[in-house]
Amino acid sequence: MFEDLKSHLATVKDRQILSLFDDADRAETFSATALGMLFDYSKTNIDLHTRDLLLALADQRGVAERREAMFTGAKINETEGRAVLHTALRNPDGSVTVDGEDVMPGVRETLSRMEAFASDLRGGGFTTPAGKRFTDVINIGIGGSDLGPAMAVLALAPYGDGPRCHFVSNVDGAHIHDVTAALDPETTLVIVASKTFTTIETMTNAKTARDWIAAAVGEDAAGGHFAALSSNLEKTADFGIDESRVFGFEDWVGGRYSMWGPIGLSLMIAVGPDDFRAFLAGGAAMDDHFRTAEGADNIPLMLALVGIWHNQVCDHATRAVLPYDQRLSRLPAYLQQLEMESNGKSVSMDGARLDYNSGPVVWGEPGTNGQHAFYQLIHQGTRVIPCEFMVAAKGHEPKLVHQHQLLMANCLAQSEALMRGRSLDEATGKVAGKFEGAELERQARHRVFEGNRPSTTLVYPLLTPKMLGQIIALYEHRVFVEGVILGINSFDQWGVELGKELATALGPIVAGEESADGKDGSTRQLVNYIHRYAN
Ligand SMILES: O=P(O)(O)OC[C@H]1O[C@](O)(CO)[C@@H](O)[C@@H]1O
């Protein structure tokens, strides 16, 4: 499938990205602007011919048709027989039917209920059964029921004016212990967020939270401290959560795409319904752009094609996402689930084994912190790691403009350094006064940067709720396009099942209730060790 691009790569792989800037228009030609964002991919080895080949690939793989199928409610999640309509959640005035039924009245009704609930909670109208105002909210969920709101509440901290929101995800008791230790159960609301309401981590933590609340306010009042976000209304009722505080959603919302609906309730509580609506509007604006912008003007399409170029054509196995924004420090983790759970597959839609690589390993940390940690490898390691930088032109701290300027200078310096590198001559010049002869050359070699390392940069004016919505939707559509080109189902996640099943079987073995006989030698050894030291 990638033959044309591979042959093209063979002819261009040795050229210097920097030399491409002999074309004075390169930066503009290899950038896309929309919705106040600038996506610059000119510091890559992509030229006009590369881009034409990539756009032709997208056409040939049917990206446009598949995109319309998604937006109009076709069941493109073929292994689960489901539509993929998280886009409907952020376009409440739109209209979409699934199985002949208009899904929008339900979306609008749930959004209004969430807004009424969040407003009541924030305004003090909805109180604890004892009449106290809720000061804190704990969202208990994992994966898609945690990463989105946890990332966004932090990202939008400057807009936070509601109760404090906390997140518990890990089944490790340390997590819920440490979060609850700092809170007052008498004024805490617990939101149990689980699409299925069967996830063992979430249900275990929910029970622990219930015991914690009940111990303080009594069994009868405990229920008044709980709300639920789920598509399994039977199970939320079994848990004893009053239906007035249950916010449901349909199976056409995938877990890692769910923060636009009820799973975003903690974000709505933190920033308020208006800012949540602005977040939705940002997502909807990006949807519109993705659906209508042509070819190279389409930012999600180009972000995806740059990804395909680096991962499938150039064979770079990972990509680093590097937000120069401390408040986006959970974005890499969010994108890890979005990208790797979606596109980490080995078979195509028809079940055949892929004969090319599926999605890349995605990782990252905010700048400038990463610079003092792993950037060494990015600059001088033997593997090439395409980097995706992002930064706002303005920070939220008017008194700290100089710090934001320093942040931006660092962001720009990194992409320049990766591309430009430092030659042996330049490195020699740096240490010429300190060493001589063979020692001078040896020392200089350690200071050489090969350069010619690709990166992209996304810049935007300010990280507002709307801009965050645009960024998240941009990445969702990037994943979608890459998945279509790879011919895989980006919307299932069978790869998480086996570990879950084995963990269930290992539970009684670890607890000492069943024998480890029948397990492999390593597992038996680990169980023995645990038994020796656990008590
Ligand atoms: O919301 P739930 O049903 O608890 O699932 C949580 C997460 O678990 C997964 O199913 C993977 O185990 C994710 O896709 C999902 O986001």
Side-chain angles (χ1 to χ4, degrees), residues 142-145 194-196 199 202 255-256 337 341 493 496 500:
I142 196 164
S145 298
S194 174
K195 180 178 167 180
T196 54
T199 304
T202 300
R256 55 193 172 276
Q337 186 197 18
E341 198 167 73
Q493 56 284 321
V496 301
K500 282 187 197 172

Side-chain angles (χ1 to χ4, degrees), residues 140-147 193-203 229-231 249 254-258 263 337 341 492-493 495-497 500:
I140 296 182
I142 196 164
S145 298
D146 164 75
L147 289 163
S194 174
K195 180 178 167 180
T196 54
F197 230 70
T198 56
T199 304
I200 187 81
E201 292 93 332
T202 300
M203 301 326 296
L229 319 171
S230 182
S231 56
F249 52 102
R256 55 193 172 276
Y257 299 89
S258 62
I263 294 295
Q337 186 197 18
E341 198 167 73
D492 61 14
Q493 56 284 321
V496 301
E497 294 300 321
K500 282 187 197 172

Side-chain angles (χ1 to χ4, degrees), residues 247-268:
F247 301 89
F249 52 102
E250 304 294 330
D251 70 0
W252 39 257
V253 181
R256 55 193 172 276
Y257 299 89
S258 62
M259 66 177 301
W260 310 95
I263 294 295
L265 183 63
S266 51
L267 173 63
M268 189 191 272

Side-chain angles (χ1 to χ4, degrees), residues 425-459:
D425 274 357
E426 289 167 326
T428 306
K430 285 266 169 202
V431 286
K434 292 195 197 139
F435 309 99
E436 8 182 86
E439 182 60 5
L440 174 59
E441 183 173 343
R442 189 179 76 86
Q443 289 287 346
R445 282 193 185 283
H446 286 271
R447 290 159 173 81
V448 168
F449 292 63
E450 277 175 17
N452 212 23
R453 303 209 160 184
S455 69
T456 62
T457 304
L458 179 73
V459 273

Side-chain angles (χ1 to χ4, degrees), residues 351-363:
R353 171 96 199 170
L354 298 182
D355 56 8
Y356 41 81
N357 286 321
S358 56
V361 174
V362 177
W363 58 285

Side-chain angles (χ1 to χ4, degrees), residues 380-454:
Q380 285 191 314
T382 51
R383 291 187 179 89
V384 174
I385 310 217
C387 293
E388 299 186 353
F389 296 100
M390 60 178 81
V391 69
K394 219 172 123 177
H396 278 99
E397 292 69 35
K399 293 197 180 129
L400 301 173
V401 171
H402 62 293
Q403 292 203 212
H404 195 73
Q405 286 168 348
L406 203 49
L407 181 77
M408 291 187 290
N410 272 276
C411 180
L412 271 47
Q414 290 301 323
S415 64
E416 187 185 352
L418 285 169
M419 174 173 69
R420 198 174 277 282
R422 176 178 284 158
S423 66
L424 183 59
D425 274 357
E426 289 167 326
T428 306
K430 285 266 169 202
V431 286
K434 292 195 197 139
F435 309 99
E436 8 182 86
E439 182 60 5
L440 174 59
E441 183 173 343
R442 189 179 76 86
Q443 289 287 346
R445 282 193 185 283
H446 286 271
R447 290 159 173 81
V448 168
F449 292 63
E450 277 175 17
N452 212 23
R453 303 209 160 184

